[in-house]
Amino acid sequence: MTAPASTYRIQFTPTFTFADAEALVDYLDALGVGALYASPLLEAVPGSTHGYDVVDPAKAREEFGGEAGRVALAKAVRQAGLGFVVDIVPNHMAVDAVTPNRWWTDVLEHGQESRYAQYFDIDWSAGALLLPFAGDPSGEQDHGHYRLIDWRRGNAELNYRRFFDITTLAAVRVEDPEVFDATHDEVLRWVREGEVTGLRVDHPDGLADPGGYARRLAERSGAWVVVEKILGPDERLPASWPVAGTTGYDALREVCGLFVDPAGEAGFTALAEEFGVPTDFAAVEHEARELVARTILRAEVRRIAALVDHPDADAARDAVAEVMVRFPVYRSYLPEGEDAWAAAVAATSGGPAVRALDEQVRADPGGELATRIQQTSGMVVAKGTEDTAFYRYTRFVALNEVGGAPDRFGMGAEEFHRRAAEREAGSPVAMTALSTHDTKRSEDVRARLAVLSEVPGEFADAVRRWSAEHPIDEPALNLLAWQSLVGAWPITADRMAAYLDKAAKESKIRTTWVDHDEEFEAAVAAWPAQVLDGPVAGEVAAFVDRVVAHGWSNALGQKLVQLTAPGVPDVYQGTELWDLSLVDPDNRRPVDYAVRRSLLARLDEGWLPPVDDSGAAKLLVVRTALRLRRERPELFRGYRPLPASGPAAGHVVAFERSGLVAVATRLPVGLAEEGGWRDTVLPLPPGEWTDALTRRPAAADLASLLDTYPVALLVRGER
């Protein structure tokens, strides 16, 4: 296994194909990228802009250019000396009626007698496959091997495992060797032929045996493998998994937290309480998980409860739901993770059904009951926390991120250094990330929002004024809207309206994806244009003008830290310049690579750009760090904090690798208010040091070192 120096994530779509990516390879090479990191490339539902809805795992996607296009891209990548990392989706396949999945179609035609019946996770005790349907008021329709169930009647009787609550994505049983082979042979052929050098595994927590899957994949591929495992703040990846690490949401939480001012917590809590937004995250999270377990995932709960050896079916369902709701992390992997299972059980109200469930799971940790409740708990946690609670608990949304902890307001430098050192010791080639296709907002939006933690009073006053003019009649969404508007400014009314529509439905307070409040949705849709066409827009613009430079400082700081700290850093498409995107699909908008090429060429001519709205300063940081990673990997080993001394020592974070020092400004508002760096110094290790960004000899006094940029990247012995 050879890990890439870095990765660059590309979202392939029907309008960004293999040929488009092939034309981009020279740019990625010039940027210093170690490997192209691709979204799923297998045949998917026509028009899909994400690719996680695979319909045929045995062929490259035709809309991207098919096998010929894929081979041409792989050849170009290899000739450039880059790696090629591919995202794979082992948990589920699309069963969309638009393009029939031939395996699923065969199951519909032949039922349990289909050769593919075992490929999908179906409970055949009903004698037929039960599918959702909401088009015929007569209710159920029997089609022999499958029955259509009237979804409008609140029926939970689906009998196939889904990807969360998406009925058009059916789970596949990759724990079966035959199914593993059928779903992986094509991608593994790409690996064997040297066309793919790394694999990113989507949603491993949904699998029956994630550890067993990881071991089989590692053995069969021999590639660098990272898994999209969302770790809790104090959770570690199971030691038995032979993978490089996670896809980096844990690092995201740590890096971003470093630029949030803990002193701002009280002000944001008071603002939320004033507007009626809940401030007890544990309570909000519990309520959201309960809602998910007892409504959208009730079919899964019912199926699991039927396995519990307890005479009261209702009590068994309650026990299953309560244990999953109480998990302190996404899931356990018994016998590994026994402490998480024990904590979930201990947190319940107890009772005979819970005891029966606990005893049965512990007696057979590899049995069907233990398997199903663990793989489903991750669904409850993800849907309940990320996709519901994060849209209800909107006190300070910069913290509401995948893998985040909204109740932990920022992270001190000491804790950050400890965690970075642990990553270097335990998973030095795990992926790290700041923006992904799944993040709730881009890294630069979060960087600007972090500034608000330094000016909570000023922001609160602004929100009071703005809300008086343009309130949203749902407190959590109202507070989310103003933070998002400031974070993503300037933004069009259409983009903002689409974001708020999704946020309102995900929160499930006034409307949902299924049960619509049309009047409320119309009011939310009209809100952005009303704000942007009125005088409040000028106030918002003026407020952003006061914080934007500090946001740029945070953005450069967190990017430098991510790119130089332990791990394999990923750059999400386009984020080498400022990117003010919100949640998908907003973050899948086309990237203007012509602008990026032009700016990169100017940098290579020696231009030192100002820190301005062009984002060229960020490109300078990204290019410089990525090239060093690829050309001088020996610099990126080890980890040692470098403390500053002086009156502003708390406003800098610095660390040494092996002949490389990264320096970043923290909490820039406070730094300015306190009079700048003054005589604060950063004692450097022995040797002559040069800032690779400015190409100047490094000075120990921070006022001189950081007079051009709020960050520095020092290399020993270079001129």
Side-chain angles (χ1 to χ4, degrees), residues 254-319:
E254 296 159 14
V255 174
C256 293
L258 190 58
F259 296 86
V260 172
D261 188 355
E265 181 172 16
F268 274 90
T269 299
L271 178 64
E273 290 174 341
E274 177 184 335
F275 276 84
V277 177
T279 57
D280 183 341
F281 179 66
V284 173
E285 182 178 52
H286 181 80
E287 181 182 42
R289 290 184 182 183
E290 280 270 1
L291 175 69
V292 165
R294 299 187 186 281
T295 56
I296 62 177
L297 295 180
R298 62 189 179 276
E300 285 74 11
V301 170
R302 178 175 296 179
R303 184 176 180 184
I304 296 167
L307 301 171
V308 180
D309 186 13
H310 187 75
D312 187 334
D314 289 338
R317 285 195 289 270
D318 288 343

Side-chain angles (χ1 to χ4, degrees), residues 7-280:
T7 60
Y8 187 98
R9 170 76 176 207
I10 290 179
Q11 292 296 120
F12 285 83
T13 71
T15 58
F16 192 94
T17 66
F18 293 139
D20 295 310
E22 183 181 353
L24 198 63
V25 168
D26 66 320
Y27 167 75
L28 299 182
D29 183 29
L31 188 61
V33 170
L36 186 157
Y37 165 30
S39 60
L41 301 180
L42 295 170
E43 193 65 84
V45 171
S48 172
T49 59
H50 53 78
Y52 291 95
D53 42 7
V54 173
V55 296
D56 188 347
K59 60 185 296 189
R61 190 166 170 186
E62 291 295 340
E63 287 181 297
F64 295 168
E67 179 65 3
R70 184 197 67 79
V71 170
L73 171 59
K75 181 180 179 180
V77 168
R78 186 160 49 181
Q79 287 180 339
L82 306 185
F84 198 162
V85 179
V86 172
D87 198 341
I88 60 174
V89 191
N91 179 73
H92 57 268
M93 294 179 69
V95 291
D96 194 292
V98 175
T99 298
N101 178 321
R102 61 187 177 88
W103 297 351
W104 187 256
T105 300
D106 198 78
V107 172
L108 296 181
E109 292 177 354
H110 302 289
Q112 296 182 66
E113 302 305 314
S114 168
R115 63 164 295 193
Y116 303 112
Q118 68 177 19
Y119 281 34
F120 298 97
D121 191 352
I122 302 169
D123 176 8
W124 289 105
S125 62
L129 179 59
L130 305 181
L131 301 174
F133 182 65
D136 186 340
S138 65
E140 297 185 8
Q141 297 184 39
D142 195 333
H143 292 258
H145 295 300
Y146 66 95
R147 292 205 302 272
L148 299 179
I149 305 298
D150 188 352
W151 199 243
R152 296 169 304 178
R153 297 186 301 166
N155 198 318
E157 294 180 8
L158 296 179
N159 63 345
Y160 66 97
R161 186 166 61 85
R162 303 165 290 169
F163 174 66
F164 296 104
D165 60 336
I166 303 175
T167 57
T168 56
L169 295 177
V172 292
R173 300 180 57 253
V174 292
E175 65 271 20
D176 183 321
E178 179 183 339
V179 180
F180 180 93
D181 290 345
T183 53
H184 288 71
D185 276 353
E186 178 65 3
V187 168
L188 291 176
R189 179 180 70 83
W190 302 349
V191 175
R192 286 195 306 273
E193 295 182 358
E195 296 169 332
V196 166
T197 57
L199 299 171
R200 182 261 194 194
V201 179
D202 182 65
H203 191 51
D205 274 353
L207 304 181
D209 180 12
Y213 172 83
R215 287 185 284 275
R216 180 177 288 123
L217 184 65
E219 179 183 349
R220 293 283 301 276
S221 72
W224 179 71
V225 175
V226 290
V227 292
E228 189 210 22
K229 166 61 188 172
I230 313 302
L231 296 173
D234 300 308
E235 183 185 13
R236 288 180 172 79
L237 202 64
S240 66
W241 294 11
V243 299
T246 73
T247 53
Y249 290 110
D250 42 330
L252 184 157
R253 182 184 67 85
E254 296 159 14
V255 174
C256 293
L258 190 58
F259 296 86
V260 172
D261 188 355
E265 181 172 16
F268 274 90
T269 299
L271 178 64
E273 290 174 341
E274 177 184 335
F275 276 84
V277 177
T279 57
D280 183 341

